[in-house]
């Protein structure tokens, strides 16, 4: 199999052995992977993978289960997305079956690749930790980032207007496109 590995500040598509699918794990034939800040930092050599994690890039992916280890209720052929400690930017990945979610009806595998890390992080912070209720107003920072853009969309979908900050004028239209009430950038005034 092949996988993307960060090497001296760039990425290489390298050949490697396929990991073994053990008890409680599933093998996913990867269709898409999310690209996160941690991947970029790992590529630059600034964020090593945790001990025991894959040396390959990719904290989230989606695809189709191609093998099921004993003790898992998943089936070969299930469309899934997964949260990973690494290794999602590969032709296949083996992951603890408890870190796998079914792809929601109506989403493509490419769309589902952003759910485990980005959308789950935004959901956790807004609704589970923050207790956000419909109609409550939200201030979000880094509105053009992956988690920021997901948070804007979740706020909009659940009826909570958001005001968003971004770090540069170039990021202003990116955040604005997601539909917050207003976007602010250092050195600018609020724009609707």
């Amino acid at each position: 199999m092949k996988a993307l590995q960060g090497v001296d500040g760039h990425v290489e598509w390298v050949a490697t052995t396929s990991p073994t699918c053990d008890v409680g794990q599933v093998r996913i034939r990867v269709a898409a992977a999310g690209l996160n800040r941690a991947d970029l930092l790992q590529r630059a050599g600034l964020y090593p993978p945790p001990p025991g994690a894959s040396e390959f890039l990719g904290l989230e992916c989606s695809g189709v289960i191609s093998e099921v280890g004993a003790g898992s209720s998943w089936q070969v052929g299930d469309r899934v997305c997964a949260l990973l400690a690494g290794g999602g930017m590969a032709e296949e990945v083996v992951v603890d079956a408890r870190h796998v979610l079914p792809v929601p009806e109506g989403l493509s595998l490419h769309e589902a690749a952003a759910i485990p890390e980005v959308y789950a992080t935004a959901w956790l912070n807004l609704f589970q930790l923050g207790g956000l209720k419909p109609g409550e107003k939200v201030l979000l920072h880094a509105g053009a980032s992956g988690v920021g853009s997901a948070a804007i969309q979740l706020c909009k979908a659940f009826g909570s207007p958001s005001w968003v900050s971004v770090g540069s004028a170039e990021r202003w239209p990116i955040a604005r496109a997601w539909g917050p009430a207003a976007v602010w950038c250092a050195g600018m005034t609020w724009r609707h």
Side-chain angles (χ1 to χ4, degrees):
M1 93 166 184
K2 291 192 173 183
L4 274 182
Q5 184 174 22
V7 178
D8 297 326
H10 66 281
V11 293
E12 291 182 14
W13 190 238
V14 299
T16 186
T17 57
S18 294
T20 303
C21 185
D22 228 335
V23 173
Q25 296 180 322
V26 296
R27 181 183 310 277
I28 300 170
R29 189 175 60 252
V30 176
L35 178 65
N36 297 284
R37 182 167 174 78
D39 296 310
L40 299 176
L41 292 172
Q42 187 176 345
R43 178 197 58 90
L46 301 172
Y47 185 72
S54 172
E55 62 188 314
F56 301 112
L57 301 175
L59 300 176
E60 59 187 343
C61 73
S62 64
V64 177
I65 292 181
S66 60
E67 183 180 351
V68 177
S72 172
S73 60
W74 293 100
Q75 302 294 315
V76 170
D78 286 345
R79 291 171 17 107
V80 297
C81 53
L83 181 62
L84 311 162
M89 293 185 190
E91 293 175 316
E92 60 185 27
V93 66
V94 171
V95 61
D96 185 318
R98 297 172 297 178
H99 297 182
V100 175
L101 299 167
V103 172
E105 192 66 36
L107 281 187
S108 70
L109 288 173
H110 291 104
E111 293 165 325
I115 291 174
E117 179 77 13
V118 172
Y119 279 87
T121 299
W123 180 270
L124 171 74
N125 285 284
L126 289 168
F127 299 101
Q128 291 184 269
L129 298 176
L132 184 63
K133 305 284 188 275
E136 293 180 333
K137 297 174 176 77
V138 180
L139 173 62
L140 299 169
H141 297 290
S145 70
V147 174
S149 62
I152 294 167
Q153 294 172 69
L154 289 170
C155 285
K156 190 173 179 182
F158 287 88
S160 293
S162 61
W163 282 258
V164 178
S165 71
V166 293
S168 69
E170 294 78 27
R171 293 180 181 150
W172 186 90
I174 296 167
R176 185 70 194 128
W178 296 114
V183 179
W184 178 81
C185 176
M188 298 172 61
T189 57
W190 284 100
R191 291 190 187 170
H192 298 278

